[in-house]
Amino acid sequence: MSHNYCIGTDIGGTTIKLAVISTEGEIIKKWEIPTDISNKGSHITKDINIAINNTLSELNLQKSSILGIGAGAPGFVDTSTGYINEAINIGWKDYDFGIELSELTNLPVWVDNDANLAALGENWLGAGRAVDNLIAVTLGTGVGGGIIANGEILNGANGTAAEIGHMTVKTSGGKPCNCGRLGCLETETSATAIVRKAYEKIEDGHDSNLVQLEEITAKSVFELAADGDTASREVLAEVVDILGLSLANLSVAINPNKIVLGGGVSQAGDQLLNPLKEAFQKYALPRVAEACIFELAELGNDAGVIGGASLVKQYHQ
Amino acid sequence: MSHNYCIGTDIGGTTIKLAVISTEGEIIKKWEIPTDISNKGSHITKDINIAINNTLSELNLQKSSILGIGAGAPGFVDTSTGYINEAINIGWKDYDFGIELSELTNLPVWVDNDANLAALGENWLGAGRAVDNLIAVTLGTGVGGGIIANGEILNGANGTAAEIGHMTVKTSGGKPCNCGRLGCLETETSATAIVRKAYEKIEDGHDSNLVQLEEITAKSVFELAADGDTASREVLAEVVDILGLSLANLSVAINPNKIVLGGGVSQAGDQLLNPLKEAFQKYALPRVAEACIFELAELGNDAGVIGGASLVKQYHQ
C-alpha cells in the first residue's frame, strides 16, 4: 500500500519533535532535534527538512508514501495558509512557514497552533479518542487549550480560538498576565499561580509546612495538601474552584463529551480530578455536566506530533 | 429549475412560523399558524404538514421541488435524528418529531434548537452574513444563544451547546434561574433581570424617576438612563459589564468574526452596543477583540425560519 504515512512535527522553544505515523495510527518512528533559535529561528525550517529526509532514507520510505506534514507552532497561526503571525519562543514573526516548508520538502503542509494539535492528538489516539466535542486543557507554567467541535479543531476568526488561559476570572485584584491584562485564568490556576499563592500564604503568616520547603513547587503544594496542610489545601481549593467555574462556563458553550487535562499540574491525578469534577458540577448546567467526562491526557509530549499527523489524515485529499 | 426550495419552520409556544425560501435566499412566502399545545402538543406535527400542503398548492409548487424541511423547536434536540428530549413550552417530551414530520410530509427533515436556527438564519441572510465564526445572542425575557464555528452550528455532545444564558456569572448571592441553579447570565442580563434590578434600586431607596413609573420595563430603564437617571444608569452599567465579561470569555474560546445581538433588549441599539463593546474590549484578549465586530440582528422573528431553510440548504445531498 502506498501513500499511507503522515509526518507530525511539533516545534518548541528547545526541541523540535517529529514522528512518522501510519494513517492507521501506528507510530513508525518518533525523534527530536534541537531547536536552533539563532538568527530569529531562520534555520528551523531547513533543519526540519533535513531531519525528515534523513529519517525517510533510514526507514527506506519513498516520499511518495507520505501524505503530508502536519506542523505545530507555538503562536498565532493562519491555518488556511500556514502563515505564522507571531511565535515569540522561536523568534518567528510574519513568516510564511507553511509555504516554505512545503516548497523545501515538496510535500503538502498543514500548520496549526501547538495546543490545538495536542488536543487533536488526544482526540485521535489518546484520552479524547473518538469523541466529536472535546476540550483539552494544559495546566503547566501557563494554561493552554485546544477545542475540538463537530470533530474539527476550532481555530476561529484569526487563529485565537481556545486560548482559554486568557479567560478573565478576576475583574478586580487580578495579577498581571503575559498577555498584558490582569486576572486571566492562567494567572490563577497555572503551576506558576499555585506557587505564587503558596508564597502568599507564607507572607500572610499562615502556620504551614510550606515554610520548611527550600523551594515551593506546584508538586510540593499537592504533596503537603495530601498530608493535611491547611494552607496548601486552601491554595488548591481556590485554584480548583476557579478552574471548575471556567470549564463549566466554557462547557455551556461547547457542550463537550470530554474534558482532557494534561500538563505538569495534571500529574496530581485524582487529587486534582476529583475536586475539579465537583466544582464543575456545581457550576455547570446539569445537562452539560451529564454529558461530560473528565480524563487525564494520555499522550504526554507526543500529543503534538500525533495531532500533526492527524491533521494530515483529516485534510489530505 | 427543479429542486430548489427549502421550507423553514420555527415552532414557538404561541405560533408556528413557516417560510418557503429558494436556495438563493429569496423568501417566496412566509406565514404563521397558531400553536395548538393541547394534548401535549400532539396536533402540532399534523398541523405543520397541513400548512405546508396548503401553501404548496396555493403556490403551485410540486413537492419534488422542495429539498426538505428545517425545523426549530424550543428545547433540547438530538440533531442527528430530530428526536426532541424536551420542549416544555409546547408540551413535548421524548418525541420522535423529525421522523414523524418526515413520514407525514414525505420530505427529508432536519431539526435543531430554535436559538441555534436563529443564529444560522442571521449567518445566511442577516447581520452575520458570510462569516464562519459567529456568536448570536438573544436578550429577551431570557438569554439565548447560538454559535456557528467553522461555518457550522455547534450542537455539542447532547444538543446543549451555546446555552450561554446559563453561564454562571455570580458564584455567591446569585438569583434563582429557571434551570434550577443560581447566578446564571440570564438572571443577570435578561430584560427580566433589568426590571428586577430597577425595582431593587427603588427598594434600596434610591432617588430615581423609576418610582414614578406605573410599571417598569427594560425599555423604560433604557429611556430613563438616556435622560440621565442615575439609578437606571447603574442598573444598565452592571448588566453591560457582566454581559461584556461573559461574551469576552466566550470569545476567547470561539474567536468569532462577529457577535450579533437580537431580542427585545437589543432594540436599545447603540445605547446598549457602545458600552457593551467597551466592556468587551476591557475583558477580551486584544487579538480576540480585534477580530470581532458587534452588530444588531437584522432578521427579527424571521431568523428562525430562515435558519431552518439554511439547515436544509447546508445538509441536503
Side-chain angles (χ1 to χ4, degrees), chain B residues 245-267:
Chain B
L245 172 63
S246 299
L247 291 177
N249 283 347
L250 262 185
S251 297
V252 161
I254 305 297
N255 186 203
N257 306 83
K258 206 172 262 190
I259 295 177
V260 172
L261 295 172
V265 176
S266 73
Q267 287 169 13

Side-chain angles (χ1 to χ4, degrees), chain A residues 222-272:
Chain A
F222 275 99
E223 284 167 356
L224 284 182
D227 289 344
D229 183 73
T230 306
S232 302
R233 287 190 168 195
E234 286 170 1
V235 165
L236 296 182
E238 187 186 311
V239 164
V240 158
D241 191 68
I242 293 174
L243 189 59
L245 172 63
S246 300
L247 292 177
N249 283 345
L250 262 185
S251 297
V252 161
I254 305 297
N255 186 203
N257 307 82
K258 205 172 262 191
I259 295 177
V260 172
L261 295 172
V265 175
S266 73
Q267 287 169 13
D270 284 345
Q271 198 189 346
L272 170 70

Side-chain angles (χ1 to χ4, degrees), chain A residues 121-132 134 258 260 298-299:
Chain A
E122 291 288 345
N123 191 218
W124 185 24
L125 300 179
R129 220 174 273 119
V131 301
D132 272 347
L134 173 73
K258 205 172 262 191
V260 172
E298 288 176 4
L299 302 178

Side-chain angles (χ1 to χ4, degrees), chain B residues 237-249:
Chain B
E238 187 186 312
V239 165
V240 157
D241 192 69
I242 293 173
L243 189 58
L245 172 63
S246 299
L247 291 177
N249 283 347

